[in-house]
Amino acid sequence: MDQQEQIVINLIVNAGSARSSAIEAIQYAKAGDIEKAEESLGNAKEAVNEAHHSQTEMIQAEIRGEKAPLSLLMVHAQDHLMT
């Protein structure tokens, strides 16, 4: 796996983790467990920040002239982050 693929995989993993933690936070909040909801929300924020970092790495590489081929995996990663 090359570096570009690893960045895309990290983006997918962290975006998925952020989404899962955010949903978990909502479930805890609905159940009245605000402490666990806040903890899950904190985890979601950390994961989305990591995903954003991966996305920023890809953008900076392109600015440096390192063109990445558009792949279905990259499109999926961006879609995953946006949802």
Side-chain angles (χ1 to χ4, degrees):
M1 182 179 307
D2 69 9
Q3 183 180 6
Q4 184 68 26
E5 288 174 332
Q6 186 61 48
I7 292 170
V8 171
I9 295 298
N10 286 339
L11 178 55
I12 292 170
V13 167
N14 285 303
S17 293
R19 184 174 188 265
S20 294
S21 292
I23 290 170
E24 184 178 71
I26 292 167
Q27 291 170 342
Y28 281 130
K30 284 182 178 179
D33 194 340
I34 302 305
E35 186 175 313
K36 284 190 178 183
E38 289 176 347
E39 181 182 336
S40 292
L41 191 56
N43 292 338
K45 288 179 182 181
E46 286 179 26
V48 82
N49 284 340
E50 286 298 318
H52 187 259
H53 177 72
S54 294
Q55 183 184 48
T56 301
E57 283 184 60
M58 290 188 303
I59 292 168
Q60 289 174 341
E62 187 151 333
I63 289 170
R64 290 189 303 269
E66 301 167 19
K67 300 293 182 188
L70 184 60
S71 68
L72 183 57
L73 190 59
M74 187 181 295
V75 171
H76 174 67
Q78 294 297 323
D79 184 54
H80 212 51
L81 179 59
M82 295 307 298
T83 56

Coordinates of all heavy atoms in Angstrom, one line a residue:
M1 N 0.9 -1.2 0.0 CA 0.0 0.0 0.0 C 0.9 1.2 0.0 O 1.8 1.3 0.8 CB -0.9 0.0 1.2 CG -1.9 1.1 1.3 SD -3.0 1.1 2.7 CE -3.7 -0.5 2.7
D2 N 0.6 2.2 -0.9 CA 1.4 3.4 -1.0 C 0.9 4.4 0.1 O -0.1 4.2 0.7 CB 1.5 3.9 -2.4 CG 0.2 4.5 -2.9 OD1 -0.8 4.6 -2.1 OD2 0.1 4.8 -4.1
Q3 N 1.7 5.5 0.2 CA 1.3 6.5 1.2 C 0.0 7.1 0.9 O -0.8 7.4 1.9 CB 2.4 7.6 1.2 CG 2.2 8.6 2.3 CD 3.2 9.7 2.3 OE1 4.1 9.7 1.5 NE2 3.2 10.6 3.3
Q4 N -0.4 7.4 -0.3 CA -1.6 8.0 -0.7 C -2.8 7.1 -0.2 O -3.8 7.5 0.3 CB -1.7 8.3 -2.2 CG -3.0 9.0 -2.6 CD -3.0 10.4 -2.1 OE1 -2.0 11.0 -1.8 NE2 -4.2 10.9 -1.9
E5 N -2.7 5.8 -0.5 CA -3.7 4.8 -0.1 C -3.9 4.8 1.4 O -5.0 4.7 1.9 CB -3.4 3.4 -0.7 CG -3.6 3.3 -2.2 CD -3.2 2.0 -2.7 OE1 -2.3 1.4 -2.1 OE2 -3.7 1.5 -3.7
Q6 N -2.8 4.8 2.1 CA -2.8 4.8 3.6 C -3.5 6.1 4.1 O -4.3 6.0 5.1 CB -1.4 4.7 4.2 CG -1.4 4.6 5.6 CD -2.0 3.3 6.1 OE1 -1.8 2.2 5.6 NE2 -2.9 3.4 7.1
I7 N -3.3 7.2 3.5 CA -4.0 8.4 3.9 C -5.5 8.3 3.7 O -6.3 8.6 4.6 CB -3.4 9.7 3.2 CG1 -2.0 9.9 3.7 CG2 -4.3 10.9 3.4 CD1 -1.2 10.9 2.8
V8 N -5.9 7.7 2.6 CA -7.3 7.6 2.3 C -7.9 6.6 3.2 O -9.0 6.8 3.7 CB -7.5 7.1 0.8 CG1 -8.9 6.7 0.5 CG2 -7.0 8.2 -0.2
I9 N -7.2 5.5 3.6 CA -7.7 4.5 4.5 C -7.9 5.2 5.9 O -8.9 5.0 6.6 CB -6.8 3.3 4.6 CG1 -6.8 2.5 3.3 CG2 -7.2 2.4 5.7 CD1 -8.2 2.0 2.8
N10 N -6.9 5.9 6.3 CA -7.0 6.6 7.6 C -8.2 7.6 7.6 O -8.9 7.7 8.6 CB -5.7 7.4 7.9 CG -4.6 6.6 8.3 OD1 -4.8 5.4 8.7 ND2 -3.4 7.1 8.1
L11 N -8.5 8.2 6.5 CA -9.6 9.1 6.4 C -10.9 8.4 6.6 O -11.8 8.8 7.4 CB -9.6 9.8 5.0 CG -10.7 10.8 4.7 CD1 -10.9 11.9 5.8 CD2 -10.5 11.4 3.3
I12 N -11.0 7.2 5.9 CA -12.2 6.4 6.0 C -12.4 5.9 7.5 O -13.5 6.0 8.1 CB -12.2 5.2 5.1 CG1 -12.3 5.7 3.6 CG2 -13.3 4.2 5.4 CD1 -12.0 4.7 2.6
V13 N -11.4 5.4 8.1 CA -11.4 4.8 9.4 C -11.8 5.9 10.4 O -12.7 5.7 11.2 CB -10.1 4.1 9.8 CG1 -10.0 3.8 11.3 CG2 -9.9 2.9 9.0
N14 N -11.2 7.0 10.4 CA -11.5 8.1 11.3 C -12.8 8.7 11.1 O -13.5 9.0 12.1 CB -10.3 9.1 11.3 CG -9.1 8.6 12.0 OD1 -9.1 8.2 13.2 ND2 -8.0 8.5 11.3
A15 N -13.2 8.9 9.9 CA -14.6 9.4 9.6 C -15.6 8.5 10.1 O -16.6 8.9 10.7 CB -14.8 9.7 8.1
G16 N -15.4 7.2 9.9 CA -16.4 6.2 10.4 C -16.4 6.1 11.9 O -17.5 6.0 12.5
S17 N -15.3 6.2 12.6 CA -15.2 6.3 14.0 C -15.9 7.5 14.6 O -16.6 7.4 15.6 CB -13.8 6.3 14.5 OG -13.2 5.0 14.2
A18 N -15.7 8.6 13.9 CA -16.4 9.9 14.4 C -17.9 9.7 14.3 O -18.6 10.1 15.2 CB -15.9 11.1 13.5
R19 N -18.4 9.2 13.2 CA -19.8 9.0 13.0 C -20.4 8.1 14.1 O -21.4 8.4 14.7 CB -20.1 8.5 11.6 CG -21.6 8.4 11.3 CD -21.8 8.0 9.8 NE -23.2 8.1 9.5 CZ -24.0 7.0 9.5 NH1 -23.6 5.8 9.9 NH2 -25.3 7.2 9.2
S20 N -19.7 7.0 14.3 CA -20.2 6.0 15.3 C -20.2 6.6 16.7 O -21.2 6.4 17.4 CB -19.3 4.8 15.3 OG -19.4 4.1 14.1
S21 N -19.2 7.4 17.0 CA -19.1 8.0 18.4 C -20.2 9.1 18.5 O -20.8 9.2 19.6 CB -17.8 8.6 18.6 OG -16.8 7.6 18.7
A22 N -20.5 9.8 17.4 CA -21.5 10.8 17.5 C -22.9 10.2 17.7 O -23.7 10.7 18.5 CB -21.5 11.6 16.2
I23 N -23.2 9.1 17.0 CA -24.4 8.4 17.1 C -24.5 7.8 18.5 O -25.6 7.9 19.2 CB -24.6 7.2 16.1 CG1 -24.8 7.9 14.7 CG2 -25.7 6.3 16.4 CD1 -24.7 6.9 13.5
E24 N -23.4 7.3 19.1 CA -23.4 6.8 20.4 C -23.7 7.9 21.4 O -24.5 7.7 22.4 CB -22.0 6.2 20.7 CG -21.9 5.5 22.1 CD -20.5 5.0 22.2 OE1 -19.5 5.7 22.3 OE2 -20.4 3.7 22.2
A25 N -23.2 9.1 21.2 CA -23.4 10.2 22.1 C -24.9 10.6 22.1 O -25.5 10.9 23.1 CB -22.6 11.4 21.6
I26 N -25.5 10.6 20.9 CA -27.0 10.8 20.8 C -27.8 9.8 21.7 O -28.7 10.2 22.4 CB -27.4 10.9 19.4 CG1 -26.8 12.1 18.7 CG2 -29.0 10.9 19.3 CD1 -27.0 12.1 17.2
Q27 N -27.4 8.6 21.5 CA -28.1 7.5 22.3 C -27.9 7.7 23.8 O -28.9 7.5 24.5 CB -27.6 6.1 21.8 CG -28.0 5.8 20.4 CD -27.3 4.6 19.8 OE1 -26.3 4.1 20.4 NE2 -27.9 4.0 18.8
Y28 N -26.7 8.0 24.2 CA -26.5 8.2 25.6 C -27.3 9.4 26.1 O -27.9 9.4 27.2 CB -25.0 8.5 25.9 CG -24.2 7.2 26.0 CD1 -23.0 7.1 25.3 CD2 -24.6 6.1 26.8 CE1 -22.2 6.0 25.4 CE2 -23.8 5.0 26.9 CZ -22.6 4.9 26.2 OH -21.8 3.8 26.3
A29 N -27.3 10.5 25.3 CA -28.1 11.7 25.7 C -29.6 11.4 25.8 O -30.2 11.8 26.8 CB -27.8 12.8 24.7
K30 N -30.1 10.6 24.9 CA -31.5 10.3 24.9 C -31.8 9.4 26.2 O -32.9 9.5 26.7 CB -31.9 9.5 23.7 CG -32.1 10.4 22.4 CD -32.5 9.5 21.2 CE -32.7 10.4 20.0 NZ -33.1 9.6 18.8
A31 N -30.8 8.6 26.6 CA -31.0 7.8 27.8 C -30.8 8.6 29.1 O -31.0 8.0 30.2 CB -30.1 6.6 27.7
G32 N -30.4 9.8 28.9 CA -30.1 10.7 30.1 C -28.7 10.6 30.7 O -28.5 11.1 31.8
D33 N -27.8 9.8 30.1 CA -26.5 9.7 30.6 C -25.6 10.8 29.9 O -24.9 10.5 29.0 CB -26.0 8.3 30.3 CG -24.7 8.0 31.1 OD1 -24.0 8.9 31.5 OD2 -24.4 6.8 31.3
I34 N -25.7 11.9 30.4 CA -25.0 13.1 29.8 C -23.5 12.9 29.9 O -22.7 13.3 29.0 CB -25.5 14.4 30.5 CG1 -27.0 14.6 30.3 CG2 -24.7 15.6 29.9 CD1 -27.5 14.5 28.9
E35 N -23.0 12.4 31.0 CA -21.5 12.2 31.1 C -21.0 11.3 30.0 O -20.0 11.6 29.4 CB -21.2 11.6 32.5 CG -19.7 11.5 32.8 CD -19.4 11.0 34.2 OE1 -20.1 11.5 35.1 OE2 -18.6 10.1 34.3
K36 N -21.6 10.2 29.8 CA -21.2 9.3 28.7 C -21.4 9.9 27.3 O -20.6 9.7 26.4 CB -21.8 7.9 28.8 CG -21.3 7.1 29.9 CD -21.8 5.7 29.8 CE -21.2 4.8 30.9 NZ -21.6 3.4 30.8
A37 N -22.5 10.7 27.2 CA -22.7 11.4 25.9 C -21.6 12.4 25.6 O -21.1 12.5 24.5 CB -24.1 12.1 26.0
E38 N -21.2 13.1 26.6 CA -20.1 14.1 26.4 C -18.8 13.4 26.1 O -18.0 13.8 25.3 CB -19.9 15.0 27.7 CG -21.1 16.0 27.8 CD -21.0 16.8 29.1 OE1 -20.2 16.5 30.0 OE2 -21.7 17.8 29.2
E39 N -18.5 12.2 26.7 CA -17.3 11.5 26.5 C -17.3 11.0 25.0 O -16.3 11.1 24.3 CB -17.2 10.3 27.4 CG -16.0 9.4 27.2 CD -16.0 8.2 28.1 OE1 -16.6 8.2 29.2 OE2 -15.3 7.2 27.7
S40 N -18.5 10.4 24.6 CA -18.6 10.0 23.2 C -18.5 11.1 22.2 O -17.8 11.0 21.1 CB -19.9 9.2 23.0 OG -19.9 8.0 23.7
L41 N -19.0 12.2 22.5 CA -18.9 13.4 21.7 C -17.4 13.9 21.6 O -17.0 14.2 20.5 CB -19.8 14.5 22.2 CG -20.0 15.7 21.2 CD1 -20.5 15.3 19.9 CD2 -20.9 16.7 21.8
G42 N -16.7 13.8 22.7 CA -15.3 14.1 22.7 C -14.5 13.2 21.8 O -13.6 13.6 21.0
N43 N -14.9 11.9 21.8 CA -14.2 10.9 20.9 C -14.5 11.2 19.5 O -13.7 11.0 18.6 CB -14.7 9.5 21.3 CG -14.2 9.0 22.7 OD1 -13.2 9.5 23.2 ND2 -14.9 8.1 23.2
A44 N -15.8 11.6 19.2 CA -16.2 11.9 17.8 C -15.4 13.1 17.3 O -14.9 13.1 16.2 CB -17.7 12.2 17.8
K45 N -15.2 14.1 18.2 CA -14.4 15.3 17.8 C -13.0 14.9 17.5 O -12.4 15.4 16.5 CB -14.5 16.4 18.9 CG -15.8 17.1 19.0 CD -15.8 18.1 20.1 CE -17.2 18.7 20.2 NZ -17.2 19.7 21.3
E46 N -12.4 14.1 18.3 CA -11.0 13.7 18.1 C -10.9 12.9 16.7 O -9.9 13.2 16.0 CB -10.5 12.8 19.2 CG -10.2 13.5 20.5 CD -9.8 12.5 21.6 OE1 -9.2 11.5 21.3 OE2 -10.0 12.9 22.8
A47 N -11.8 12.0 16.5 CA -11.7 11.2 15.3 C -12.0 12.1 14.0 O -11.3 11.9 13.0 CB -12.8 10.1 15.3
V48 N -12.9 13.0 14.1 CA -13.1 13.9 12.9 C -11.9 14.8 12.7 O -11.6 15.1 11.5 CB -14.5 14.6 13.0 CG1 -14.4 15.9 13.9 CG2 -15.0 15.0 11.6
N49 N -11.3 15.2 13.7 CA -10.1 16.0 13.6 C -9.0 15.2 12.9 O -8.3 15.7 12.0 CB -9.6 16.5 14.9 CG -10.4 17.7 15.4 OD1 -11.1 18.4 14.6 ND2 -10.3 18.0 16.7
E50 N -8.8 13.9 13.2 CA -7.9 13.1 12.6 C -8.2 12.9 11.1 O -7.3 12.9 10.2 CB -7.8 11.7 13.3 CG -7.0 11.7 14.6 CD -5.6 12.2 14.4 OE1 -4.9 11.7 13.5 OE2 -5.1 13.0 15.3
A51 N -9.5 12.7 10.8 CA -10.0 12.5 9.4 C -9.7 13.8 8.7 O -9.2 13.7 7.5 CB -11.4 12.2 9.4
H52 N -9.9 14.9 9.3 CA -9.7 16.2 8.6 C -8.2 16.4 8.3 O -7.8 16.9 7.3 CB -10.2 17.4 9.4 CG -10.1 18.7 8.7 ND1 -9.1 19.6 9.0 CD2 -10.9 19.2 7.8 CE1 -9.3 20.6 8.3 NE2 -10.3 20.4 7.5
H53 N -7.4 15.9 9.3 CA -5.9 16.0 9.1 C -5.5 15.2 7.9 O -4.7 15.6 7.1 CB -5.2 15.5 10.3 CG -3.7 15.4 10.2 ND1 -2.9 16.6 10.2 CD2 -2.9 14.4 10.1 CE1 -1.7 16.2 10.1 NE2 -1.6 14.9 10.0
S54 N -6.1 14.0 7.7 CA -5.8 13.2 6.5 C -6.2 13.9 5.2 O -5.5 13.9 4.2 CB -6.5 11.8 6.6 OG -6.0 11.1 7.7
Q55 N -7.3 14.5 5.3 CA -7.8 15.2 4.1 C -6.9 16.4 3.8 O -6.6 16.6 2.6 CB -9.2 15.7 4.4 CG -9.9 16.4 3.2 CD -11.2 17.0 3.5 OE1 -11.4 17.7 4.5 NE2 -12.2 16.7 2.7
T56 N -6.4 17.1 4.8 CA -5.5 18.2 4.6 C -4.2 17.7 4.0 O -3.6 18.4 3.1 CB -5.3 18.9 5.9 OG1 -6.6 19.4 6.4 CG2 -4.4 20.1 5.8
E57 N -3.7 16.5 4.4 CA -2.5 16.0 3.9 C -2.7 15.8 2.4 O -1.7 16.1 1.6 CB -2.2 14.6 4.5 CG -1.6 14.7 5.9 CD -1.2 13.4 6.4 OE1 -0.3 12.7 5.7 OE2 -1.7 13.0 7.4
M58 N -3.8 15.3 1.9 CA -4.0 15.0 0.5 C -4.1 16.3 -0.3 O -3.5 16.5 -1.3 CB -5.3 14.3 0.3 CG -5.3 12.8 0.8 SD -6.7 11.8 0.3 CE -8.1 12.7 1.0
I59 N -4.7 17.3 0.3 CA -4.8 18.6 -0.3 C -3.4 19.3 -0.5 O -3.1 19.8 -1.5 CB -5.8 19.6 0.4 CG1 -7.2 19.0 0.3 CG2 -5.7 21.0 -0.1 CD1 -8.2 19.7 1.2
Q60 N -2.7 19.2 0.6 CA -1.3 19.8 0.6 C -0.4 19.1 -0.4 O 0.4 19.7 -1.1 CB -0.7 19.8 2.0 CG -1.4 20.8 2.9 CD -0.8 20.7 4.3 OE1 -0.2 19.7 4.7 NE2 -1.1 21.7 5.1
A61 N -0.6 17.8 -0.5 CA 0.2 17.0 -1.5 C -0.1 17.5 -2.9 O 0.8 17.7 -3.8 CB 0.0 15.5 -1.4
E62 N -1.4 17.7 -3.2 CA -1.8 18.2 -4.5 C -1.3 19.6 -4.8 O -0.8 19.9 -5.9 CB -3.3 18.1 -4.7 CG -3.7 18.4 -6.1 CD -5.0 17.7 -6.5 OE1 -5.3 16.7 -6.0 OE2 -5.6 18.3 -7.4
I63 N -1.3 20.4 -3.8 CA -0.7 21.8 -4.0 C 0.7 21.7 -4.3 O 1.2 22.5 -5.1 CB -1.0 22.6 -2.7 CG1 -2.5 22.9 -2.5 CG2 -0.2 23.9 -2.7 CD1 -2.9 23.5 -1.2
R64 N 1.5 20.7 -3.7 CA 2.9 20.6 -4.0 C 3.1 20.0 -5.4 O 4.3 19.8 -5.8 CB 3.6 19.7 -3.0 CG 3.7 20.3 -1.6 CD 4.6 19.4 -0.7 NE 4.1 18.1 -0.6 CZ 3.2 17.7 0.4 NH1 2.8 18.5 1.3 NH2 2.9 16.4 0.5
G65 N 2.0 19.6 -6.1 CA 2.2 19.1 -7.5 C 2.1 17.5 -7.5 O 2.4 16.9 -8.5
E66 N 1.9 16.9 -6.3 CA 1.8 15.5 -6.3 C 0.4 15.1 -6.6 O -0.5 14.9 -5.7 CB 2.2 15.0 -4.9 CG 3.6 15.4 -4.5 CD 3.9 15.2 -3.0 OE1 3.2 14.4 -2.3 OE2 4.9 15.8 -2.5
K67 N 0.1 14.9 -7.8 CA -1.3 14.6 -8.3 C -1.6 13.1 -7.9 O -0.9 12.2 -8.2 CB -1.4 14.7 -9.8 CG -1.1 16.1 -10.3 CD -2.2 17.1 -9.8 CE -1.9 18.5 -10.3 NZ -2.7 19.5 -9.8
A68 N -2.8 13.0 -7.2 CA -3.3 11.7 -6.8 C -4.3 11.3 -7.8 O -5.2 12.1 -8.2 CB -3.8 11.7 -5.4
P69 N -4.3 10.1 -8.3 CA -5.3 9.6 -9.2 C -6.7 9.6 -8.5 O -6.7 9.1 -7.3 CB -4.9 8.2 -9.7 CG -4.0 7.8 -8.6 CD -3.3 9.0 -8.0
L70 N -7.7 10.0 -9.2 CA -9.0 9.9 -8.6 C -9.5 8.5 -8.6 O -9.5 7.8 -9.6 CB -10.0 10.8 -9.4 CG -11.4 10.9 -8.8 CD1 -11.4 11.4 -7.4 CD2 -12.3 11.7 -9.7
S71 N -9.8 7.9 -7.4 CA -10.2 6.5 -7.3 C -11.6 6.5 -6.6 O -12.0 7.4 -5.9 CB -9.2 5.7 -6.6 OG -9.2 6.1 -5.2
L72 N -12.2 5.3 -6.8 CA -13.5 5.1 -6.1 C -13.2 5.1 -4.6 O -14.1 5.7 -3.8 CB -14.1 3.8 -6.5 CG -15.4 3.4 -5.9 CD1 -16.5 4.5 -6.2 CD2 -15.9 2.1 -6.4
L73 N -12.1 4.6 -4.1 CA -11.8 4.6 -2.7 C -11.7 6.1 -2.2 O -12.2 6.4 -1.1 CB -10.5 3.9 -2.5 CG -10.1 3.6 -1.0 CD1 -11.2 2.7 -0.3 CD2 -8.8 2.9 -1.0
M74 N -11.0 7.0 -2.9 CA -10.9 8.4 -2.5 C -12.3 9.0 -2.5 O -12.6 9.8 -1.5 CB -10.0 9.1 -3.4 CG -9.7 10.5 -2.9 SD -8.6 11.5 -3.9 CE -7.1 10.6 -3.8
V75 N -13.1 8.8 -3.4 CA -14.5 9.3 -3.5 C -15.2 8.8 -2.2 O -15.9 9.6 -1.6 CB -15.2 9.0 -4.8 CG1 -16.7 9.4 -4.7 CG2 -14.5 9.7 -5.9
H76 N -15.1 7.6 -2.0 CA -15.8 7.0 -0.8 C -15.3 7.6 0.5 O -16.1 7.9 1.4 CB -15.5 5.5 -0.7 CG -16.1 4.8 0.5 ND1 -17.4 4.7 0.7 CD2 -15.4 4.2 1.5 CE1 -17.6 4.1 1.9 NE2 -16.4 3.8 2.4
A77 N -14.0 7.9 0.6 CA -13.5 8.5 1.8 C -14.0 9.9 2.0 O -14.4 10.3 3.1 CB -11.9 8.6 1.7
Q78 N -14.1 10.7 0.9 CA -14.6 12.0 1.0 C -16.1 12.0 1.4 O -16.6 12.8 2.2 CB -14.4 12.8 -0.3 CG -13.0 13.1 -0.6 CD -12.3 13.9 0.5 OE1 -12.9 14.9 1.0 NE2 -11.1 13.7 0.8
D79 N -16.8 11.1 0.8 CA -18.3 10.9 1.1 C -18.5 10.5 2.6 O -19.3 11.1 3.2 CB -18.9 9.9 0.2 CG -20.4 9.8 0.4 OD1 -21.1 10.8 0.3 OD2 -20.8 8.6 0.6
H80 N -17.6 9.6 3.0 CA -17.7 9.1 4.4 C -17.5 10.3 5.4 O -18.2 10.4 6.4 CB -16.7 8.1 4.6 CG -17.0 7.0 5.5 ND1 -18.2 6.3 5.5 CD2 -16.3 6.5 6.6 CE1 -18.2 5.4 6.5 NE2 -17.1 5.5 7.1
L81 N -16.5 11.1 5.1 CA -16.2 12.3 6.0 C -17.4 13.3 6.0 O -17.8 13.8 7.0 CB -14.9 13.0 5.5 CG -14.5 14.2 6.3 CD1 -14.3 13.9 7.8 CD2 -13.3 14.8 5.8
M82 N -18.0 13.5 4.8 CA -19.1 14.5 4.7 C -20.3 14.0 5.4 O -21.1 14.9 5.9 CB -19.4 14.8 3.3 CG -18.2 15.5 2.6 SD -17.6 17.0 3.4 CE -19.0 18.0 3.4
T83 N -20.5 12.7 5.6 CA -21.7 12.2 6.2 C -21.4 12.1 7.7 O -22.3 12.1 8.5 CB -22.3 10.9 5.6 OG1 -21.2 9.9 5.7 CG2 -22.7 11.1 4.2

